[in-house]
Amino acid sequence: SFNCRVARGRVERMVCADAELATLDRRMSSAFYAALAGGDGRTRAALRGSRDRFLAFRDRCPTAACVAQAYRDRMDEIADIAGS
């Protein structure tokens, strides 16, 4: 979901260096944009509003396992917001 050549911060560099995290990042990004495309105004606002909280949480993760779980939790959250 971001360009690894300009990765900002420790966690983005961690994602770029780990194939599993990179896959989870792409899956989460796809779920997010699909939910945005299919959602009404309220759904889109909720998705965008929760994005910053997710990024702040993810960026505090000390380990790859924490980052992976953050992505899994975010995908669940996206599904819940989108009503899936």
Side-chain angles (χ1 to χ4, degrees):
S1 66
F2 54 87
N3 185 339
C4 284
R5 283 182 243 132
V6 292
R8 301 178 334 255
R10 178 186 56 79
V11 172
E12 284 188 4
R13 289 189 301 274
M14 186 187 305
V15 170
C16 291
D18 185 303
E20 178 188 358
L21 294 179
T23 297
L24 287 168
D25 180 75
R26 287 189 299 274
R27 285 180 47 212
M28 185 274 307
S29 181
S30 292
F32 178 80
Y33 287 109
L36 273 181
D40 60 15
R42 177 190 268 172
T43 299
R44 288 190 302 272
L47 288 165
R48 288 185 182 117
S50 62
R51 177 178 46 200
D52 290 340
R53 286 188 304 275
F54 159 72
L55 291 172
F57 178 82
R58 181 203 67 179
D59 289 349
R60 287 191 306 270
C61 279
T63 65
C66 176
V67 174
Q69 190 60 51
Y71 277 120
R72 289 184 195 100
D73 291 345
R74 177 62 174 157
M75 286 185 273
D76 289 344
E77 180 182 43
I78 290 167
D80 287 345
I81 291 170
S84 303

